[in-house]
Amino acid sequence: MDSPIQHMRSFINHLEQFLDRNAKEYGMEHLAGPQGHLVMYLYKHPSDSFSIKDVETVLRISKSVASNLVKRMEKNGFISIQPSEKDKRVKHIFLTELGNEKAKVFEEFLEHTHKIMMADISDDDIKTAVRVIKTLAKNIHFDLLEDSHKLPKTKKE
């Protein structure tokens, strides 16, 4: 029997190549990965007050990674950062006009990508695939949590 993990690795490699090629066609190179995810999240939740702490939670990344991501996106002109009126330590994040424009194009990109990838796949097969992927992710998550207490402690020098 073929290993499902080998098939998933191969699929992930092909998917990355496919997405990279199509992202270039749509001018979305900067929005690959977490930048695109955050732009789309802000686009779909325009009225929400969103902070760097929220970026950590939504993207499941560390504080330093979130901070660097936000700085990079501000530099790219996709977002603006404004201090909270209530607490100056809290920085709120908003899409800029460029960020909104990119989000609209990104939606078209996602729609195009979805149409190509889901061609000739039944709704039932898609539901089954999503269910299996969610179960795999849950199993990995629980395994990581169980093993976290088994990891060796680092010595403080």
Side-chain angles (χ1 to χ4, degrees):
M1 182 163 126
D2 287 343
S3 167
I5 293 175
Q6 288 175 326
H7 285 283
M8 284 189 278
R9 282 186 177 158
S10 178
F11 170 72
I12 289 168
N13 289 337
H14 285 106
L15 178 62
E16 287 176 348
Q17 292 170 3
F18 170 76
L19 292 174
D20 286 346
R21 187 186 72 230
N22 282 299
K24 286 178 186 170
E25 289 177 18
Y26 276 82
M28 297 283 107
E29 300 94 328
H30 285 297
L31 293 175
Q35 287 192 54
H37 188 87
L38 184 54
V39 163
M40 290 310 295
Y41 186 89
L42 293 170
Y43 182 70
K44 292 183 182 284
H45 303 90
S47 61
D48 291 357
S49 178
F50 202 74
S51 70
I52 294 176
K53 184 74 176 162
D54 296 321
V55 173
E56 295 171 37
T57 304
V58 168
L59 298 181
R60 296 184 178 133
I61 57 178
S62 70
K63 184 177 183 176
S64 63
V65 172
S67 180
N68 287 329
L69 173 66
V70 167
K71 286 177 189 172
R72 199 167 53 249
M73 291 181 69
E74 183 181 35
K75 182 180 175 187
N76 289 337
F78 301 139
I79 61 170
S80 65
I81 303 170
Q82 299 172 4
S84 168
E85 292 178 12
K86 295 178 183 174
D87 183 349
K88 298 297 179 194
R89 296 172 296 176
V90 176
K91 307 292 186 224
H92 292 288
I93 302 166
F94 301 93
L95 277 182
T96 60
E97 188 174 326
L98 175 62
N100 274 302
E101 290 170 12
K102 289 290 186 179
K104 290 173 187 171
V105 175
F106 200 73
E107 263 190 333
E108 292 172 18
F109 163 74
L110 292 174
E111 199 172 292
H112 172 77
T113 301
H114 187 266
K115 187 182 288 185
I116 290 171
M117 289 182 64
M118 299 303 149
D120 301 324
I121 301 175
S122 72
D123 288 343
D124 286 342
D125 285 347
I126 291 170
K127 287 176 186 173
T128 300
V130 168
R131 183 179 48 76
V132 169
I133 290 168
K134 284 181 176 181
T135 302
L136 289 169
K138 182 181 79 174
N139 292 345
I140 291 169
H141 178 75
F142 285 135
D143 186 65
L144 289 172
L145 289 177
E146 288 174 9
D147 285 347
S148 66
H149 73 281
K150 298 176 190 172
L151 295 175
K153 304 280 186 210
T154 56
K155 293 181 183 177
K156 292 185 180 181
E157 298 183 44

